[in-house]
Amino acid sequence: MPVYQAPLRDYQFILDELLHIYQQNELQGFDEIDPDLVDAILQGMADFTTEVMLPLNSVGDVQGCKLVDGKVVTPEGFADAYQQFVENGWPTLTCDPAFGGQGLPEVVGIFATEMQTATNMAFAMYPGLTHGAYSAIHTHGSDALKNKYLSKLVSGEWTGTMNLTESHAGTDLALLRTKAVPAAEGYFAISGEKIFISAGDHELAENIVHLVLARLPDAPEGVKGISLFAVPKYRVNADGSLGEANSLYASGLEHKMGIHGNSTCVMVFDGALGELVGEPHQGLRAMFTMMNQARLGVGVQGLGVSEIAYQNALAYAKDRLQSRALSGAKAPEKAADPILVHGDVRRMLLSQKAFNEGARALVGQQALWLDEAERHSSPEKAKVASQLAALFTPVVKGFITGRGFNACVDAQQVFGGHGYIHEWGMEQFVRDCRISLIYEGTNGVQALDLVGRKLLSDRGAAMQHWSELVTAFIKAQSSNPKMQPYVGALMECAADLQKASTYIATNAGSNPDIIGAASMAYLELFGVTALAWMWARMAAVALDAIEQGTSDNAFYQSKLKTADFYMAYWAVQSRSLRKQLELSSEMLTSVDESIF
């Protein structure tokens, strides 16, 4: 069975020294947290995930979910593990105290999520989707709807889902056909079929609250005619108790490449009674609250699975004996050297390490922006944080999952033939992680969102805010000679990103197809630059700690060496990505279809 060691020291570094969360006095509720509390919470999650969730990861993969007599049965051990999850209070971490939550910042909760996805991605999706449903109702629901559902969703006694996709529509929600017809007492009868519904049915919780996109009879065409409805598996009585079963069911389970332990269902709604979430015809706005939460979570899936894959590949590389180092034997007392001595194995492992630690810092920054948007005492600063979080959402989802999957493949490669065999766990990591590039909006959609909506909207306000942060950091560090390798590499990345942005803005007006043709290279370039920013910041913190004198010198030296590698191996890709974008985008838009 694969092993896992939660990166608790890295969490401490990011939260305390990089993001300074214990000095965020302008953020409501941050004065209630301290290092001891946060460390205890993350340690508790580390214990739970390694002792309870990790042993079930392979079980879930082998057994999968089953549809028996119209009901979904999850793999052996999942139900007991979920009850422990609820009894320990883990679903409540970042939820509103008014509904039984602990009110912790998102920047703390996001690392608890990473540990869950690293140890058992399929299991982690059940509470993850519930949190998304909670967020949508909490933000857009009426007081009556909140009082009806939120306390049970917060506690985990009930779970939640999101029902968007229909077989003929996919990403194009304007084509959805599910109908909502007014019924008695403010309810609506929902009828239609949804596919790819993660956690659509199961026996883990006593009720499931489905959030369903549907059209009212008077709905205008397109996305402006979509409404959102809360449709429970079992209807809820006035006193909060469960009533009769609603008119909905799972008609089938998808046979998937990975995440077998999560029940991906075809859901049929046959006049099921539900209630409106938010205003009529404003369902997409409400659903995007859930989707943006989910997109951050999916980005964390790419990171989490990449991290556990890396840890196991590293352990294998230290143990596996194969050939001798080209420069001579490094372990002459053994029959061969550990494969860690070989240059290409080191390249793969160090590339994974540099990605994981950089992505973890970026995820933490994104979560802190979300906290600032919700909790900052200054409305102006809260707005800026909201704009930055919106800008980086497609980057966190698209870039981190894409590179995280590549890291899993590299980790599998380190194992050689054993990486292709189930018992080592690596091929499951590859299969599980692969979906993260597809669902919650494919990475191609994320790239389009980044370029078409985020880069070119609001006259580039969000991009300008980030540019100011990068420029301020470079200015502050420019006089430090030890920081020059990091500052110089960051400046080159930033310059390439600026040139690419200018190219798109200049050419998109006359040829809008440029946006689609350039978007994926732009997403990659943006992600490479964003991680260069994080690594330069981490290098500055590490240098300062070493100069001040630290008892953990090895940790900070490791940070500097990994930063060196990132700048040498990853950051230099910015120029090739920019040239790729500039030289191929117009060609892609003009090539005749006959050549395909």
Side-chain angles (χ1 to χ4, degrees):
M1 184 183 78
V3 297
Y4 177 71
Q5 183 72 42
L8 297 174
R9 179 66 182 90
D10 214 26
Y11 296 152
Q12 293 173 338
F13 172 78
I14 292 169
L15 294 172
D16 189 3
E17 300 176 74
L18 184 68
L19 301 179
H20 307 291
I21 71 165
Y22 306 114
Q23 287 78 50
Q24 300 286 350
N25 298 323
E26 294 179 301
L27 302 186
Q28 185 270 327
F30 271 59
D31 58 340
E32 299 176 8
I33 60 173
D34 57 49
D36 289 340
L37 173 64
V38 171
D39 288 351
I41 290 169
L42 295 180
Q43 180 64 66
M45 180 58 78
D47 294 340
F48 184 84
T49 52
T50 54
E51 295 170 10
V52 179
M53 292 176 61
L54 182 60
L56 294 175
N57 197 34
S58 180
V59 174
D61 185 56
V62 172
Q63 293 186 6
C65 295
K66 296 178 175 64
L67 187 60
V68 180
D69 297 329
K71 296 181 180 181
V72 173
V73 179
T74 57
E76 183 180 347
F78 269 47
D80 288 341
Y82 185 77
Q83 288 307 307
Q84 292 181 58
F85 189 84
V86 171
E87 289 168 4
N88 290 347
W90 294 123
T92 69
L93 286 182
T94 60
C95 296
D96 188 344
F99 300 99
Q102 297 183 45
L104 289 169
E106 187 70 30
V107 73
V108 174
I110 204 66
F111 293 135
T113 299
E114 184 197 339
M115 289 183 274
Q116 294 173 48
T117 59
T119 52
N120 197 324
M121 178 175 163
F123 181 93
M125 291 170 65
Y126 293 102
L129 286 157
T130 302
H131 191 73
Y134 154 83
S135 297
I137 295 175
H138 187 266
T139 303
H140 301 281
S142 65
D143 289 342
L145 208 62
K146 292 177 185 178
N147 292 331
K148 188 172 190 176
Y149 290 116
L150 288 190
S151 63
K152 295 290 189 179
L153 289 173
V154 168
S155 69
E157 294 172 79
W158 297 353
T159 60
T161 71
M162 53 193 300
N163 287 249
L164 289 75
T165 309
E166 299 179 9
S167 58
H168 61 281
T171 300
D172 190 356
L173 295 176
L175 300 177
L176 73 81
R177 298 170 183 161
T178 299
K179 298 179 180 179
V181 178
E185 301 176 356
Y187 286 90
F188 297 83
I190 313 298
S191 299
E193 181 181 270
K194 301 287 186 176
I195 65 170
F196 304 155
I197 307 307
S198 300
D201 190 47
H202 53 79
E203 81 288 21
L204 303 183
E206 61 182 12
N207 202 8
I208 302 172
V209 182
H210 299 282
L211 292 193
V212 185
L213 288 181
R215 292 186 182 280
L216 291 165
D218 61 344
E221 295 294 326
V223 295
K224 295 182 179 179
I226 298 174
S227 300
L228 181 65
F229 300 87
V231 188
K233 179 179 179 178
Y234 294 99
R235 296 191 63 190
V236 181
N237 297 321
D239 62 358
S241 62
L242 295 184
E244 62 185 8
N246 216 339
S247 300
L248 60 92
Y249 59 94
S251 64
L253 284 171
E254 305 291 357
H255 300 279
K256 304 167 294 185
M257 177 178 178
I259 55 170
H260 296 156
N262 193 268
S263 54
T264 307
C265 300
V266 177
M267 296 300 302
V268 176
F269 298 87
D270 186 15
L273 293 179
E275 296 168 88
L276 192 64
V277 180
E279 298 298 319
H281 317 315
Q282 298 297 315
L284 205 57
R285 177 171 171 266
M287 183 59 85
F288 264 110
T289 297
M290 188 174 188
M291 287 179 66
N292 286 334
Q293 185 83 30
R295 285 172 176 174
L296 173 58
V298 172
V300 175
Q301 288 177 347
L303 166 61
V305 182
S306 175
E307 173 64 29
I308 191 172
Y310 162 70
Q311 289 188 20
N312 284 271
L314 177 61
Y316 184 82
K318 290 179 176 180
D319 183 67
R320 170 71 168 175
L321 302 181
Q322 188 79 45
S323 304
R324 292 293 186 187
L326 297 179
S327 58
K330 304 303 179 186
E333 75 284 2
K334 297 180 180 179
D337 289 331
I339 63 172
L340 186 59
V341 305
H342 302 306
D344 193 51
V345 173
R346 289 188 165 214
R347 175 193 63 81
M348 290 187 287
L349 290 169
L350 201 46
S351 180
Q352 295 163 49
K353 176 178 169 64
F355 165 75
N356 290 342
E357 293 181 18
R360 183 173 297 119
L362 181 60
V363 163
Q365 178 64 78
Q366 173 76 347
L368 182 58
W369 279 330
L370 291 171
D371 284 324
E372 290 175 350
E374 182 180 345
R375 298 169 181 254
H376 208 291
S377 59
S378 166
E380 181 179 344
K381 291 182 179 179
K383 180 180 179 181
V384 170
S386 179
Q387 290 173 318
L388 286 166
L391 174 66
F392 273 80
T393 292
V395 180
V396 168
K397 195 282 182 186
F399 179 76
I400 292 181
T401 59
R403 295 296 180 110
F405 173 72
N406 291 345
C408 288
V409 172
D410 275 350
Q412 182 188 37
Q413 189 75 11
V414 169
F415 278 74
H418 292 292
Y420 202 66
I421 304 302
H422 177 79
E423 67 185 270
W424 291 89
M426 305 308 291
E427 58 87 31
Q428 183 189 345
F429 296 146
V430 171
R431 288 185 290 104
D432 283 353
C433 191
R434 186 62 183 86
I435 187 58
S436 66
L437 286 70
I438 298 173
Y439 59 13
E440 302 308 335
T442 67
N443 285 2
V445 169
Q446 303 305 314
L448 278 173
D449 179 47
L450 176 64
V451 178
R453 291 195 180 100
K454 307 300 170 55
L455 174 64
L456 302 178
S457 67
D458 297 329
R459 298 181 179 179
M463 191 70 173
Q464 182 59 36
H465 291 317
W466 183 47
S467 297
E468 290 171 358
L469 292 175
V470 174
T471 301
F473 173 82
I474 291 172
K475 183 178 180 180
Q477 298 294 332
S478 60
S479 61
N480 184 351
K482 293 183 179 180
M483 279 295 296
Q484 290 313 301
Y486 315 108
V487 169
L490 175 58
M491 289 177 65
E492 290 180 5
C493 286
D496 285 325
L497 184 61
Q498 179 59 50
K499 290 175 183 177
S501 302
T502 300
Y503 170 85
I504 294 173
T506 300
N507 291 279
S510 58
N511 183 5
D513 286 335
I514 287 286
I515 294 173
S519 60
M520 186 54 74
Y522 188 83
L523 173 67
E524 293 289 309
L525 174 54
F526 199 114
V528 165
T529 305
L531 261 63
W533 179 51
M534 300 311 302
W535 269 115
R537 292 168 61 188
M538 289 191 284
V541 174
L543 279 170
D544 184 63
I546 293 169
E547 290 174 359
Q548 295 294 324
T550 173
S551 59
D552 198 4
N553 191 68
F555 175 84
Y556 295 103
Q557 290 290 352
S558 176
K559 282 292 180 191
L560 288 178
K561 292 296 184 183
T562 310
D564 290 339
F565 180 81
Y566 183 87
M567 297 309 184
Y569 184 81
W570 284 74
V572 294
Q573 298 174 21
S574 68
R575 185 175 187 275
S576 63
L577 288 166
R578 173 177 65 83
K579 296 299 290 185
Q580 178 191 111
L581 182 153
E582 294 172 345
L583 296 177
S584 68
S585 296
E586 188 172 352
M587 185 186 304
L588 285 169
T589 67
S590 61
V591 68
D592 191 87
E593 293 183 7
S594 64
I595 75 165
F596 290 100

